[in-house]
Amino acid sequence: MASEGVSTRVCVIIPSLRNHVELGIALDGLANQSWPNEAGDHLEVVVVGPSGDSGEAVAEAKGARFIDDEGSRTRADACNVALNQIDCDFVLFTDDDVWVPEDWVARLVRWFERPEVAGVGGPNFAPPDKSTFWQRVIDVTFCSKWVTAGTNYGKRGTAELERAEQLPGVNAAYRKSVLDEVGGFDDGAIGCEDAMLDHRIEQAGHQLWTDREAVMWHRRRNPARVRKQIQNYGLVRMLAANEHPGMQGWSHILVGLFPLLVFDALFSFWWGVANGGLAWPEFWNISTDAVPFGLARTAVHTPITLAAIYTAICWAGAAKGNSPSRSFSTVLAAPLMTFLLHWSYGVGVLRAWWRIYITKNPGLQVDDKDRAG
């Protein structure tokens, strides 16, 4: 951190597009921060978006600085425009659909007193009192203990400060010098820009950390929008791994196979029924002699058994997760949402593999700026 008697300059960057109402809520939260608490320290809030967007007037009315994103098509490009126009010691990133706790800045900035901290973030949850039932279910699913392996939603450590491989873009802080060193975000990236940035920061020899108590309250999208969001994330995660091979993870590949496994299970069940492997009155009586054990009966029962195990794991993972929206009803509905997320992510991964290995034209851009729904 700054030496005694030297001011600390912090800048919060919020990329925003056509979301002025929620942007105003986020800016109100940033206006009520407990930091700075030392004379001379300075907090600047920057909103970056297209000139003439409804958020520009809101930002100016709330005392924030507005920066024209210069026609950027992606969140990464908009953030890079802002990074090139600010002068500070530490940069914090969040979104325009959050409710900011009053101690958020203070909780993150304090860790930069440690020289080994290049970046620090924290978990993000949907606020239960401001979310619909399905948004709460989505939050419970995102924060599930096992079935969302590889994601950063609601991930909490056991210690006050722990090492992390990735920080969520909605709740992250970095040394400005480190961002300058790695050149900011990957140009043209969206949906995985935070993961790629963090990967390059670690490749440069720096360390990222997470504070389990530095919570950001973040709106979850509705199911139709989440399906598209997660499909895009599966796509860009694989494209990012193609660009940065060190980002490849077994969990992402496994989820990518999920749609194929579902089709295989459905075919197995159909084939088993067609070949006499099912006697409806005795379906759950595995000891019955009505249908002898064999390949056809195995083909019928195996998909059903696996589906039951999958559902049980989804229930257990949701119940043991970190979401504050956990309740009997949201945990009960979690397997439905888990299936939707696994299916959507898998479809995105398959699309990425098609672009990488078949069309030989991977690319990185995915236009995800439509907030309808």
Side-chain angles (χ1 to χ4, degrees), residues 121-125 152-156 168 170-171 210-217:
N124 67 97
F125 302 114
N152 220 26
Y153 296 100
K155 188 175 183 179
R156 303 188 82 167
V170 71
N171 188 3
T210 182
D211 177 349
R212 69 186 314 272
E213 300 300 333
V215 174
M216 178 61 76
W217 300 105

mmCIF file with all atom_site columns, all heavy atoms in Angstrom, residues 121-125 152-156 168 170-171 210-217:
data_model
loop_
_atom_site.group_PDB
_atom_site.id
_atom_site.type_symbol
_atom_site.label_atom_id
_atom_site.label_alt_id
_atom_site.label_comp_id
_atom_site.label_asym_id
_atom_site.label_entity_id
_atom_site.label_seq_id
_atom_site.pdbx_PDB_ins_code
_atom_site.Cartn_x
_atom_site.Cartn_y
_atom_site.Cartn_z
_atom_site.occupancy
_atom_site.B_iso_or_equiv
_atom_site.pdbx_formal_charge
_atom_site.auth_seq_id
_atom_site.auth_comp_id
_atom_site.auth_asym_id
_atom_site.auth_atom_id
_atom_site.pdbx_PDB_model_num
ATOM 1   N N   . GLY A 1 121 ? -10.270 -10.784 -4.776  1.00 0.00 ? 121 GLY A N   1
ATOM 2   C CA  . GLY A 1 121 ? -11.709 -10.696 -5.020  1.00 0.00 ? 121 GLY A CA  1
ATOM 3   C C   . GLY A 1 121 ? -12.474 -11.393 -3.921  1.00 0.00 ? 121 GLY A C   1
ATOM 4   O O   . GLY A 1 121 ? -11.932 -11.689 -2.856  1.00 0.00 ? 121 GLY A O   1
ATOM 5   N N   . GLY A 1 122 ? -13.729 -11.670 -4.189  1.00 0.00 ? 122 GLY A N   1
ATOM 6   C CA  . GLY A 1 122 ? -14.568 -12.328 -3.204  1.00 0.00 ? 122 GLY A CA  1
ATOM 7   C C   . GLY A 1 122 ? -15.768 -12.962 -3.869  1.00 0.00 ? 122 GLY A C   1
ATOM 8   O O   . GLY A 1 122 ? -15.965 -12.840 -5.081  1.00 0.00 ? 122 GLY A O   1
ATOM 9   N N   . PRO A 1 123 ? -16.608 -13.652 -3.097  1.00 0.00 ? 123 PRO A N   1
ATOM 10  C CA  . PRO A 1 123 ? -17.777 -14.323 -3.664  1.00 0.00 ? 123 PRO A CA  1
ATOM 11  C C   . PRO A 1 123 ? -18.855 -13.331 -4.082  1.00 0.00 ? 123 PRO A C   1
ATOM 12  O O   . PRO A 1 123 ? -18.846 -12.171 -3.681  1.00 0.00 ? 123 PRO A O   1
ATOM 13  C CB  . PRO A 1 123 ? -18.266 -15.201 -2.510  1.00 0.00 ? 123 PRO A CB  1
ATOM 14  C CG  . PRO A 1 123 ? -17.798 -14.494 -1.281  1.00 0.00 ? 123 PRO A CG  1
ATOM 15  C CD  . PRO A 1 123 ? -16.500 -13.841 -1.640  1.00 0.00 ? 123 PRO A CD  1
ATOM 16  N N   . ASN A 1 124 ? -19.766 -13.795 -4.913  1.00 0.00 ? 124 ASN A N   1
ATOM 17  C CA  . ASN A 1 124 ? -20.933 -12.980 -5.254  1.00 0.00 ? 124 ASN A CA  1
ATOM 18  C C   . ASN A 1 124 ? -22.179 -13.846 -5.186  1.00 0.00 ? 124 ASN A C   1
ATOM 19  O O   . ASN A 1 124 ? -22.187 -14.983 -5.639  1.00 0.00 ? 124 ASN A O   1
ATOM 20  C CB  . ASN A 1 124 ? -20.767 -12.307 -6.615  1.00 0.00 ? 124 ASN A CB  1
ATOM 21  C CG  . ASN A 1 124 ? -20.754 -13.281 -7.780  1.00 0.00 ? 124 ASN A CG  1
ATOM 22  O OD1 . ASN A 1 124 ? -21.771 -13.505 -8.427  1.00 0.00 ? 124 ASN A OD1 1
ATOM 23  N ND2 . ASN A 1 124 ? -19.596 -13.892 -8.051  1.00 0.00 ? 124 ASN A ND2 1
ATOM 24  N N   . PHE A 1 125 ? -23.214 -13.296 -4.580  1.00 0.00 ? 125 PHE A N   1
ATOM 25  C CA  . PHE A 1 125 ? -24.470 -14.009 -4.386  1.00 0.00 ? 125 PHE A CA  1
ATOM 26  C C   . PHE A 1 125 ? -25.632 -13.135 -4.853  1.00 0.00 ? 125 PHE A C   1
ATOM 27  O O   . PHE A 1 125 ? -25.544 -11.906 -4.857  1.00 0.00 ? 125 PHE A O   1
ATOM 28  C CB  . PHE A 1 125 ? -24.688 -14.351 -2.914  1.00 0.00 ? 125 PHE A CB  1
ATOM 29  C CG  . PHE A 1 125 ? -23.600 -15.176 -2.293  1.00 0.00 ? 125 PHE A CG  1
ATOM 30  C CD1 . PHE A 1 125 ? -22.798 -14.654 -1.284  1.00 0.00 ? 125 PHE A CD1 1
ATOM 31  C CD2 . PHE A 1 125 ? -23.379 -16.471 -2.708  1.00 0.00 ? 125 PHE A CD2 1
ATOM 32  C CE1 . PHE A 1 125 ? -21.804 -15.415 -0.705  1.00 0.00 ? 125 PHE A CE1 1
ATOM 33  C CE2 . PHE A 1 125 ? -22.378 -17.251 -2.132  1.00 0.00 ? 125 PHE A CE2 1
ATOM 34  C CZ  . PHE A 1 125 ? -21.584 -16.713 -1.124  1.00 0.00 ? 125 PHE A CZ  1
ATOM 35  N N   . ASN A 1 152 ? -16.810 -19.839 -10.685 1.00 0.00 ? 152 ASN A N   1
ATOM 36  C CA  . ASN A 1 152 ? -16.346 -18.979 -9.594  1.00 0.00 ? 152 ASN A CA  1
ATOM 37  C C   . ASN A 1 152 ? -17.507 -18.330 -8.858  1.00 0.00 ? 152 ASN A C   1
ATOM 38  O O   . ASN A 1 152 ? -17.302 -17.416 -8.076  1.00 0.00 ? 152 ASN A O   1
ATOM 39  C CB  . ASN A 1 152 ? -15.424 -17.891 -10.162 1.00 0.00 ? 152 ASN A CB  1
ATOM 40  C CG  . ASN A 1 152 ? -14.241 -17.621 -9.252  1.00 0.00 ? 152 ASN A CG  1
ATOM 41  O OD1 . ASN A 1 152 ? -13.808 -18.483 -8.493  1.00 0.00 ? 152 ASN A OD1 1
ATOM 42  N ND2 . ASN A 1 152 ? -13.720 -16.413 -9.308  1.00 0.00 ? 152 ASN A ND2 1
ATOM 43  N N   . TYR A 1 153 ? -18.734 -18.772 -9.119  1.00 0.00 ? 153 TYR A N   1
ATOM 44  C CA  . TYR A 1 153 ? -19.885 -18.192 -8.464  1.00 0.00 ? 153 TYR A CA  1
ATOM 45  C C   . TYR A 1 153 ? -19.970 -18.683 -7.016  1.00 0.00 ? 153 TYR A C   1
ATOM 46  O O   . TYR A 1 153 ? -20.032 -19.877 -6.762  1.00 0.00 ? 153 TYR A O   1
ATOM 47  C CB  . TYR A 1 153 ? -21.178 -18.575 -9.187  1.00 0.00 ? 153 TYR A CB  1
ATOM 48  C CG  . TYR A 1 153 ? -21.281 -18.047 -10.589 1.00 0.00 ? 153 TYR A CG  1
ATOM 49  C CD1 . TYR A 1 153 ? -20.998 -18.847 -11.676 1.00 0.00 ? 153 TYR A CD1 1
ATOM 50  C CD2 . TYR A 1 153 ? -21.674 -16.725 -10.821 1.00 0.00 ? 153 TYR A CD2 1
ATOM 51  C CE1 . TYR A 1 153 ? -21.102 -18.362 -12.972 1.00 0.00 ? 153 TYR A CE1 1
ATOM 52  C CE2 . TYR A 1 153 ? -21.786 -16.231 -12.111 1.00 0.00 ? 153 TYR A CE2 1
ATOM 53  C CZ  . TYR A 1 153 ? -21.502 -17.054 -13.173 1.00 0.00 ? 153 TYR A CZ  1
ATOM 54  O OH  . TYR A 1 153 ? -21.617 -16.574 -14.448 1.00 0.00 ? 153 TYR A OH  1
ATOM 55  N N   . GLY A 1 154 ? -19.996 -17.761 -6.085  1.00 0.00 ? 154 GLY A N   1
ATOM 56  C CA  . GLY A 1 154 ? -20.210 -18.125 -4.705  1.00 0.00 ? 154 GLY A CA  1
ATOM 57  C C   . GLY A 1 154 ? -19.115 -18.945 -4.063  1.00 0.00 ? 154 GLY A C   1
ATOM 58  O O   . GLY A 1 154 ? -19.311 -19.530 -3.008  1.00 0.00 ? 154 GLY A O   1
ATOM 59  N N   . LYS A 1 155 ? -17.947 -19.004 -4.687  1.00 0.00 ? 155 LYS A N   1
ATOM 60  C CA  . LYS A 1 155 ? -16.857 -19.793 -4.127  1.00 0.00 ? 155 LYS A CA  1
ATOM 61  C C   . LYS A 1 155 ? -16.280 -19.081 -2.910  1.00 0.00 ? 155 LYS A C   1
ATOM 62  O O   . LYS A 1 155 ? -15.872 -17.936 -2.980  1.00 0.00 ? 155 LYS A O   1
ATOM 63  C CB  . LYS A 1 155 ? -15.768 -19.989 -5.183  1.00 0.00 ? 155 LYS A CB  1
ATOM 64  C CG  . LYS A 1 155 ? -14.667 -20.946 -4.778  1.00 0.00 ? 155 LYS A CG  1
ATOM 65  C CD  . LYS A 1 155 ? -13.714 -21.176 -5.935  1.00 0.00 ? 155 LYS A CD  1
ATOM 66  C CE  . LYS A 1 155 ? -12.636 -22.182 -5.578  1.00 0.00 ? 155 LYS A CE  1
ATOM 67  N NZ  . LYS A 1 155 ? -11.723 -22.416 -6.723  1.00 0.00 ? 155 LYS A NZ  1
ATOM 68  N N   . ARG A 1 156 ? -16.241 -19.777 -1.780  1.00 0.00 ? 156 ARG A N   1
ATOM 69  C CA  . ARG A 1 156 ? -15.722 -19.190 -0.550  1.00 0.00 ? 156 ARG A CA  1
ATOM 70  C C   . ARG A 1 156 ? -14.661 -20.106 0.031   1.00 0.00 ? 156 ARG A C   1
ATOM 71  O O   . ARG A 1 156 ? -14.834 -21.323 0.102   1.00 0.00 ? 156 ARG A O   1
ATOM 72  C CB  . ARG A 1 156 ? -16.825 -18.984 0.485   1.00 0.00 ? 156 ARG A CB  1
ATOM 73  C CG  . ARG A 1 156 ? -17.973 -18.137 0.012   1.00 0.00 ? 156 ARG A CG  1
ATOM 74  C CD  . ARG A 1 156 ? -18.927 -17.800 1.141   1.00 0.00 ? 156 ARG A CD  1
ATOM 75  N NE  . ARG A 1 156 ? -18.446 -16.673 1.928   1.00 0.00 ? 156 ARG A NE  1
ATOM 76  C CZ  . ARG A 1 156 ? -19.195 -16.007 2.806   1.00 0.00 ? 156 ARG A CZ  1
ATOM 77  N NH1 . ARG A 1 156 ? -20.442 -16.379 2.998   1.00 0.00 ? 156 ARG A NH1 1
ATOM 78  N NH2 . ARG A 1 156 ? -18.713 -14.988 3.474   1.00 0.00 ? 156 ARG A NH2 1
ATOM 79  N N   . PRO A 1 168 ? -13.808 -13.351 -9.819  1.00 0.00 ? 168 PRO A N   1
ATOM 80  C CA  . PRO A 1 168 ? -15.009 -13.033 -10.602 1.00 0.00 ? 168 PRO A CA  1
ATOM 81  C C   . PRO A 1 168 ? -14.973 -11.585 -11.068 1.00 0.00 ? 168 PRO A C   1
ATOM 82  O O   . PRO A 1 168 ? -14.640 -10.677 -10.301 1.00 0.00 ? 168 PRO A O   1
ATOM 83  C CB  . PRO A 1 168 ? -16.149 -13.278 -9.601  1.00 0.00 ? 168 PRO A CB  1
ATOM 84  C CG  . PRO A 1 168 ? -15.513 -13.115 -8.259  1.00 0.00 ? 168 PRO A CG  1
ATOM 85  C CD  . PRO A 1 168 ? -14.091 -13.562 -8.390  1.00 0.00 ? 168 PRO A CD  1
ATOM 86  N N   . VAL A 1 170 ? -17.136 -9.499  -11.442 1.00 0.00 ? 170 VAL A N   1
ATOM 87  C CA  . VAL A 1 170 ? -18.061 -8.614  -10.740 1.00 0.00 ? 170 VAL A CA  1
ATOM 88  C C   . VAL A 1 170 ? -17.534 -8.205  -9.365  1.00 0.00 ? 170 VAL A C   1
ATOM 89  O O   . VAL A 1 170 ? -18.111 -7.343  -8.712  1.00 0.00 ? 170 VAL A O   1
ATOM 90  C CB  . VAL A 1 170 ? -19.438 -9.302  -10.605 1.00 0.00 ? 170 VAL A CB  1
ATOM 91  C CG1 . VAL A 1 170 ? -19.376 -10.454 -9.601  1.00 0.00 ? 170 VAL A CG1 1
ATOM 92  C CG2 . VAL A 1 170 ? -20.525 -8.326  -10.230 1.00 0.00 ? 170 VAL A CG2 1
ATOM 93  N N   . ASN A 1 171 ? -16.435 -8.805  -8.935  1.00 0.00 ? 171 ASN A N   1
ATOM 94  C CA  . ASN A 1 171 ? -15.943 -8.568  -7.575  1.00 0.00 ? 171 ASN A CA  1
ATOM 95  C C   . ASN A 1 171 ? -14.440 -8.806  -7.541  1.00 0.00 ? 171 ASN A C   1
ATOM 96  O O   . ASN A 1 171 ? -13.962 -9.804  -7.009  1.00 0.00 ? 171 ASN A O   1
ATOM 97  C CB  . ASN A 1 171 ? -16.661 -9.503  -6.591  1.00 0.00 ? 171 ASN A CB  1
ATOM 98  C CG  . ASN A 1 171 ? -16.337 -9.191  -5.138  1.00 0.00 ? 171 ASN A CG  1
ATOM 99  O OD1 . ASN A 1 171 ? -15.623 -8.242  -4.838  1.00 0.00 ? 171 ASN A OD1 1
ATOM 100 N ND2 . ASN A 1 171 ? -16.866 -10.010 -4.234  1.00 0.00 ? 171 ASN A ND2 1
ATOM 101 N N   . THR A 1 210 ? -8.373  -14.476 -2.577  1.00 0.00 ? 210 THR A N   1
ATOM 102 C CA  . THR A 1 210 ? -9.797  -14.260 -2.374  1.00 0.00 ? 210 THR A CA  1
ATOM 103 C C   . THR A 1 210 ? -10.104 -14.056 -0.899  1.00 0.00 ? 210 THR A C   1
ATOM 104 O O   . THR A 1 210 ? -9.532  -14.733 -0.040  1.00 0.00 ? 210 THR A O   1
ATOM 105 C CB  . THR A 1 210 ? -10.629 -15.454 -2.922  1.00 0.00 ? 210 THR A CB  1
ATOM 106 O OG1 . THR A 1 210 ? -12.024 -15.179 -2.747  1.00 0.00 ? 210 THR A OG1 1
ATOM 107 C CG2 . THR A 1 210 ? -10.285 -16.749 -2.215  1.00 0.00 ? 210 THR A CG2 1
ATOM 108 N N   . ASP A 1 211 ? -10.968 -13.104 -0.617  1.00 0.00 ? 211 ASP A N   1
ATOM 109 C CA  . ASP A 1 211 ? -11.424 -12.788 0.732   1.00 0.00 ? 211 ASP A CA  1
ATOM 110 C C   . ASP A 1 211 ? -12.846 -13.315 0.870   1.00 0.00 ? 211 ASP A C   1
ATOM 111 O O   . ASP A 1 211 ? -13.767 -12.848 0.194   1.00 0.00 ? 211 ASP A O   1
ATOM 112 C CB  . ASP A 1 211 ? -11.380 -11.269 0.945   1.00 0.00 ? 211 ASP A CB  1
ATOM 113 C CG  . ASP A 1 211 ? -11.907 -10.833 2.311   1.00 0.00 ? 211 ASP A CG  1
ATOM 114 O OD1 . ASP A 1 211 ? -12.493 -11.658 3.036   1.00 0.00 ? 211 ASP A OD1 1
ATOM 115 O OD2 . ASP A 1 211 ? -11.746 -9.650  2.651   1.00 0.00 ? 211 ASP A OD2 1
ATOM 116 N N   . ARG A 1 212 ? -13.050 -14.288 1.734   1.00 0.00 ? 212 ARG A N   1
ATOM 117 C CA  . ARG A 1 212 ? -14.344 -14.959 1.845   1.00 0.00 ? 212 ARG A CA  1
ATOM 118 C C   . ARG A 1 212 ? -15.455 -14.044 2.335   1.00 0.00 ? 212 ARG A C   1
ATOM 119 O O   . ARG A 1 212 ? -16.640 -14.330 2.141   1.00 0.00 ? 212 ARG A O   1
ATOM 120 C CB  . ARG A 1 212 ? -14.236 -16.182 2.755   1.00 0.00 ? 212 ARG A CB  1
ATOM 121 C CG  . ARG A 1 212 ? -14.011 -15.887 4.205   1.00 0.00 ? 212 ARG A CG  1
ATOM 122 C CD  . ARG A 1 212 ? -13.768 -17.168 5.004   1.00 0.00 ? 212 ARG A CD  1
ATOM 123 N NE  . ARG A 1 212 ? -14.721 -18.212 4.690   1.00 0.00 ? 212 ARG A NE  1
ATOM 124 C CZ  . ARG A 1 212 ? -15.884 -18.364 5.296   1.00 0.00 ? 212 ARG A CZ  1
ATOM 125 N NH1 . ARG A 1 212 ? -16.266 -17.503 6.228   1.00 0.00 ? 212 ARG A NH1 1
ATOM 126 N NH2 . ARG A 1 212 ? -16.684 -19.346 4.957   1.00 0.00 ? 212 ARG A NH2 1
ATOM 127 N N   . GLU A 1 213 ? -15.107 -12.921 2.971   1.00 0.00 ? 213 GLU A N   1
ATOM 128 C CA  . GLU A 1 213 ? -16.115 -12.022 3.513   1.00 0.00 ? 213 GLU A CA  1
ATOM 129 C C   . GLU A 1 213 ? -16.394 -10.818 2.616   1.00 0.00 ? 213 GLU A C   1
ATOM 130 O O   . GLU A 1 213 ? -17.299 -10.033 2.899   1.00 0.00 ? 213 GLU A O   1
ATOM 131 C CB  . GLU A 1 213 ? -15.699 -11.531 4.903   1.00 0.00 ? 213 GLU A CB  1
ATOM 132 C CG  . GLU A 1 213 ? -15.522 -12.649 5.917   1.00 0.00 ? 213 GLU A CG  1
ATOM 133 C CD  . GLU A 1 213 ? -16.794 -13.450 6.148   1.00 0.00 ? 213 GLU A CD  1
ATOM 134 O OE1 . GLU A 1 213 ? -17.891 -12.886 5.956   1.00 0.00 ? 213 GLU A OE1 1
ATOM 135 O OE2 . GLU A 1 213 ? -16.686 -14.637 6.508   1.00 0.00 ? 213 GLU A OE2 1
ATOM 136 N N   . ALA A 1 214 ? -15.631 -10.655 1.537   1.00 0.00 ? 214 ALA A N   1
ATOM 137 C CA  . ALA A 1 214 ? -15.828 -9.509  0.633   1.00 0.00 ? 214 ALA A CA  1
ATOM 138 C C   . ALA A 1 214 ? -16.915 -9.849  -0.381  1.00 0.00 ? 214 ALA A C   1
ATOM 139 O O   . ALA A 1 214 ? -16.658 -10.073 -1.566  1.00 0.00 ? 214 ALA A O   1
ATOM 140 C CB  . ALA A 1 214 ? -14.522 -9.155  -0.064  1.00 0.00 ? 214 ALA A CB  1
ATOM 141 N N   . VAL A 1 215 ? -18.148 -9.885  0.076   1.00 0.00 ? 215 VAL A N   1
ATOM 142 C CA  . VAL A 1 215 ? -19.281 -10.332 -0.738  1.00 0.00 ? 215 VAL A CA  1
ATOM 143 C C   . VAL A 1 215 ? -19.808 -9.200  -1.610  1.00 0.00 ? 215 VAL A C   1
ATOM 144 O O   . VAL A 1 215 ? -19.888 -8.045  -1.182  1.00 0.00 ? 215 VAL A O   1
ATOM 145 C CB  . VAL A 1 215 ? -20.409 -10.860 0.176   1.00 0.00 ? 215 VAL A CB  1
ATOM 146 C CG1 . VAL A 1 215 ? -21.661 -11.184 -0.636  1.00 0.00 ? 215 VAL A CG1 1
ATOM 147 C CG2 . VAL A 1 215 ? -19.935 -12.085 0.945   1.00 0.00 ? 215 VAL A CG2 1
ATOM 148 N N   . MET A 1 216 ? -20.165 -9.532  -2.845  1.00 0.00 ? 216 MET A N   1
ATOM 149 C CA  . MET A 1 216 ? -20.886 -8.622  -3.726  1.00 0.00 ? 216 MET A CA  1
ATOM 150 C C   . MET A 1 216 ? -22.248 -9.236  -4.024  1.00 0.00 ? 216 MET A C   1
ATOM 151 O O   . MET A 1 216 ? -22.350 -10.422 -4.364  1.00 0.00 ? 216 MET A O   1
ATOM 152 C CB  . MET A 1 216 ? -20.118 -8.397  -5.034  1.00 0.00 ? 216 MET A CB  1
ATOM 153 C CG  . MET A 1 216 ? -20.849 -7.493  -6.023  1.00 0.00 ? 216 MET A CG  1
ATOM 154 S SD  . MET A 1 216 ? -21.146 -5.829  -5.387  1.00 0.00 ? 216 MET A SD  1
ATOM 155 C CE  . MET A 1 216 ? -19.495 -5.127  -5.538  1.00 0.00 ? 216 MET A CE  1
ATOM 156 N N   . TRP A 1 217 ? -23.310 -8.434  -3.882  1.00 0.00 ? 217 TRP A N   1
ATOM 157 C CA  . TRP A 1 217 ? -24.666 -8.903  -4.177  1.00 0.00 ? 217 TRP A CA  1
ATOM 158 C C   . TRP A 1 217 ? -24.959 -8.642  -5.649  1.00 0.00 ? 217 TRP A C   1
ATOM 159 O O   . TRP A 1 217 ? -24.959 -7.501  -6.100  1.00 0.00 ? 217 TRP A O   1
ATOM 160 C CB  . TRP A 1 217 ? -25.675 -8.200  -3.284  1.00 0.00 ? 217 TRP A CB  1
ATOM 161 C CG  . TRP A 1 217 ? -25.418 -8.458  -1.839  1.00 0.00 ? 217 TRP A CG  1
ATOM 162 C CD1 . TRP A 1 217 ? -24.874 -7.599  -0.930  1.00 0.00 ? 217 TRP A CD1 1
ATOM 163 C CD2 . TRP A 1 217 ? -25.667 -9.670  -1.137  1.00 0.00 ? 217 TRP A CD2 1
ATOM 164 N NE1 . TRP A 1 217 ? -24.770 -8.199  0.301   1.00 0.00 ? 217 TRP A NE1 1
ATOM 165 C CE2 . TRP A 1 217 ? -25.248 -9.476  0.201   1.00 0.00 ? 217 TRP A CE2 1
ATOM 166 C CE3 . TRP A 1 217 ? -26.200 -10.915 -1.492  1.00 0.00 ? 217 TRP A CE3 1
ATOM 167 C CZ2 . TRP A 1 217 ? -25.348 -10.476 1.168   1.00 0.00 ? 217 TRP A CZ2 1
ATOM 168 C CZ3 . TRP A 1 217 ? -26.311 -11.915 -0.528  1.00 0.00 ? 217 TRP A CZ3 1
ATOM 169 C CH2 . TRP A 1 217 ? -25.893 -11.685 0.781   1.00 0.00 ? 217 TRP A CH2 1
#
